[in-house]
Structure formats: structure tokens, C-alpha cells
């Protein structure tokens, strides 16, 4: 039996509490009375709240039971137990703590924006700890395992649209509410992907030059970034070239470009966006679920 890492478990619980509180505020204090459909199992729980008067947190747990049973074997015991913990914490905060805070009763648009940002942050925090809040998150992670090239934000967005349509038809019956629901869903997906995949974004450059070692040395001296020198050959001239590959942050790229031009005015520089850079100088590899 695998030994429990109490330090990691403690951090997981603290993150669950912080993320669960952010999600609870977004759903209960901003979305519940704003009369627009909310995506995910929280959205279905809100539909049940309006139709049956069932508390949102309790409704979320009830919805999770069949999905959890179905996904248990596919996702594995460790992920299931971590998600169960996150789900219970977020549901308790939703039903017993969020109601103690004032409910926003202003602009529906502002309520939608705040809900989208808060929930996007909360869900990203939980996903980054190798957990989820169950329900649709189980489905999202299951699809992610089958289709690893798809981001969690995009998967969540597609599933959420279905719930928004359901909420618009059954409860709100309001075109404006549907639009706000789409805005919330899109914003949540963007915030999630930005936090999970874009925190360590930067630039990737390929520099084709005859002075590869000099360029790499200057880059290292200026930014402390290591470079990789590849050997290339011009397809037309057949001349041998160095291709210096380097990843750096956005602020460093402008100076690096000027340095390259000073060393070799004939250098051919390609600069690309890099959503995430994992490794020395950026961040450590994310742990497997």
C-alpha cells in the first residue's frame, strides 16, 4: 500500500478550500440570482434549485454519484479519491459558507464576468493539483485521457454549452440569459487555459546564423538561458549554418533580437509564441494524475 504523503495531502486540502471558496462565491453569490444558465454540474444543480428547491451543493453531490461510479475504474483510484475530497469540500462551502456572504444583485453582465473569472481560477487550481470537483470534471478528464491533444478548457467549453442550452430551455427561457451563459462559459475556459497552460508562456526563437556559438554565448550572458545549436544547411546555397534554438520570456526577446542583429546582421531570426515552457529556468514538469 502506497504511503500517504501528509505534506502533499495538506497542501491539496488547503488548495481545495481556497479553490472551493472561489467557485462557491462565483456560483452562489454571483450566478444563482442573476437569472442566466450556468454550465457544468453546477449549472444542472442550479436548474434543480429553481425547479425543486434543492440546495446547489447537495444537488451537485447527488448528480455526481452515478458519474463517479461510472468513471471510477477508468480514471483510477487515486484521482477518484482526490476528486471526491475536492467535491465534498466545494459542496460544503457552497451550501454553508457562501450563503453567509452578501449576494450580488447588480448588473447581470458584471455577475457573469465575475462568475466566469472566479470559477475559471478555482477549477484551474483544482486541476493543477491533479484533482477535480467531480461530475463534468470527471467527464472532461476522461476525454482528455482519450484525446490528449485537446485542452481541458476547450473540452469543458463544449460540454458546458450543452448545459447552457438545457438551462435556457427548462428554466430561464431568456435569450439574454443564454448569451450571458455563453459569455461565462467562454470566459471560464479562457481563464482556465490561461492559468494552466499560459502562466509560463514566453517566446521560442530559431536563429539561423554563421556565428552560432557567439550568439548562444551572448544569450547566456544576457539572460542566463541555455541554447541548443543545431546544424543546418541552406537548401539553395548549400552552405552550412548554425540554428540556435532558445526559449525565453517575453521581456527578454526584444533585447535578444537586437543582440543577434549586432553579432550577425545577416542572421535569419524566427520568433514564435510558446504557450508553456517546462524545464530549467521556467517551471518543473507537472505531475501525472
Amino acid at each position: 500500500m502506497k504511503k500517504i504523503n501528509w505534506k502533499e495531502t495538506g497542501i491539496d486540502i488547503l488548495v481545495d478550500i481556497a479553490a472551493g471558496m472561489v467557485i462557491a462565491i462565483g456560483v452562489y453569490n454571483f450566478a444563482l440570482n442573476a437569472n442566466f444558465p450556468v454550465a457544468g454540474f453546477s449549472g444542472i444543480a442550479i436548474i434543480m434549485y429553481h425547479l425543486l428547491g434543492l440546495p446547489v451543493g447537495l444537488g451537485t453531490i447527488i448528480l455526481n454519484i452515478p458519474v463517479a461510479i461510472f468513471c471510477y475504474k477508468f480514471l483510477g483510484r487515486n484521482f477518484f479519491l482526490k476528486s471526491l475530497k475536492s467535491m465534498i469540500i466545494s459542496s460544503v462551502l457552497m451550501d454553508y459558507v457562501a450563503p453567509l456572504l452578501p449576494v450580488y444583485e447588480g448588473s447581470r453582465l458584471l455577475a457573469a464576468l465575475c462568475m466566469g473569472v472566479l470559477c475559471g481560477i478555482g477549477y484551474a487550481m483544482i486541476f493543477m493539483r491533479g484533482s477535480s470537483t467531480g461530475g463534468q470534471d470527471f467527464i472532461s478528464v476522461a476525454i482528455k485521457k482519450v484525446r490528449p491533444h485537446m485542452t481541458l478548457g476547450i473540452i469543458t467549453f463544449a460540454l458546458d454549452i450543452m448545459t447552457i442550452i438545457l438551462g435556457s430551455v427548462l428554466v430561464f427561457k431568456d435569450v439574454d440569459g443564454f448569451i450571458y451563459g455563453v459569455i461565462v462559459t467562454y470566459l471560464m475556459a479562457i481563464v482556465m487555459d490561461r492559468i494552466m497552460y499560459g502562466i509560463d508562456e514566453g517566446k521560442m526563437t530559431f536563429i539561423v546564423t554563421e556565428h552560432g556559438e557567439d550568439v548562444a554565448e551572448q544569450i547566456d550572458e544576457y539572460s542566463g538561458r541555455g541554447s541548443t545549436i543545431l546544424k543546418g544547411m541552406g537548401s539553395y546555397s548549400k552552405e552550412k549554418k548554425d540554428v540556435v534554438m532558445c526559449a525565453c520570456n517575453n521581456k527578454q526577446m526584444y533585447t535578444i533580437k537586437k543582440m543577434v542583429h549586432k553579432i550577425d546582421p545577416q542572421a535569419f531570426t524566427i520568433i514564435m509564441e510558446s504557450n508553456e515552457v517546462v524545464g530549467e529556468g521556467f517551471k518543473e514538469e507537472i505531475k501525472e494524475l
Side-chain angles (χ1 to χ4, degrees):
M1 185 175 179
K2 186 177 179 181
K3 187 177 180 181
I4 298 175
N5 187 328
W6 291 108
K7 180 180 178 181
E8 286 295 313
T9 302
I11 294 174
D12 285 343
I13 292 174
L14 291 176
V15 171
D16 283 342
I17 293 173
M21 195 66 236
V22 170
I23 294 170
I25 292 172
V27 173
Y28 189 93
N29 301 91
F30 283 100
L32 193 60
N33 293 326
N35 294 323
F36 57 77
V38 175
F41 269 36
S42 296
I44 299 176
I46 288 177
I47 294 174
M48 295 169 63
Y49 169 82
H50 284 286
L51 295 178
L52 306 174
L54 195 67
V56 177
L58 178 59
T60 303
I61 291 177
I62 292 173
L63 289 168
N64 269 289
I65 293 174
V67 175
I69 294 173
F70 178 78
C71 293
Y72 174 79
K73 184 176 181 180
F74 183 78
L75 296 176
R77 179 175 178 272
N78 186 53
F79 179 75
F80 173 80
L81 292 177
K82 292 185 72 171
S83 298
L84 183 64
K85 167 179 57 64
S86 301
M87 179 187 67
I88 292 174
I89 290 174
S90 61
S91 297
V92 168
L93 292 171
M94 184 86 68
D95 284 348
Y96 295 101
V97 180
L100 301 177
L101 303 175
V103 175
Y104 179 74
E105 298 179 352
S107 165
R108 292 172 79 189
L109 178 59
L110 289 178
L113 294 176
C114 290
M115 189 265 182
V117 172
L118 289 172
C119 289
I121 293 172
Y123 287 127
M125 290 170 63
I126 290 174
F127 275 129
M128 290 170 72
R129 292 300 301 176
S131 183
S132 76
T133 55
Q136 186 171 289
D137 294 348
F138 279 158
I139 300 172
S140 298
V141 174
I143 295 174
K144 174 71 174 174
K145 283 182 173 289
V146 176
R147 305 285 184 182
H149 62 282
M150 299 177 66
T151 69
L152 284 170
I154 295 302
I155 296 170
T156 302
F157 179 77
L159 295 174
D160 286 348
I161 288 295
M162 301 177 189
T163 309
I164 291 175
I165 294 173
L166 183 65
S168 299
V169 172
L170 294 180
V171 179
F172 302 103
K173 301 176 182 178
D174 178 9
V175 175
D176 287 347
F178 174 78
I179 294 172
Y180 288 133
V182 173
I183 291 173
V184 167
T185 304
Y186 179 75
L187 184 59
M188 195 185 308
I190 293 298
V191 171
M192 258 176 56
D193 280 349
R194 187 70 175 178
I195 291 175
M196 294 181 68
Y197 304 112
I199 288 178
D200 291 278
E201 71 173 1
K203 302 288 186 182
M204 171 68 74
T205 182
F206 291 91
I207 304 160
V208 182
T209 176
E210 295 179 353
H211 307 279
E213 292 186 6
D214 293 336
V215 169
E217 184 179 340
Q218 285 297 309
I219 290 175
D220 180 62
E221 185 177 323
Y222 161 67
S223 64
R225 302 291 183 194
S227 302
T228 300
I229 301 178
L230 308 174
K231 296 300 179 181
M233 181 180 70
S235 62
Y236 178 76
S237 65
K238 306 302 180 183
E239 294 181 358
K240 292 183 179 180
K241 301 279 187 178
D242 291 329
V243 181
V244 181
M245 181 179 70
C246 177
C248 65
N249 63 42
N250 293 327
K251 295 178 182 178
Q252 294 169 333
M253 182 51 67
Y254 178 75
T255 303
I256 288 176
K257 184 171 67 172
K258 290 181 63 177
M259 287 167 38
V260 171
H261 181 73
K262 186 175 181 180
I263 295 171
D264 182 5
Q266 304 301 317
F268 188 74
T269 304
I270 304 169
I271 300 173
M272 300 179 294
E273 294 291 339
S274 177
N275 283 343
E276 184 177 28
V277 183
V278 178
E280 185 178 354
F282 288 91
K283 75 174 185 181
E284 294 180 359
E285 180 61 88
I286 299 173
K287 295 179 179 179
E288 293 293 331
L289 295 179

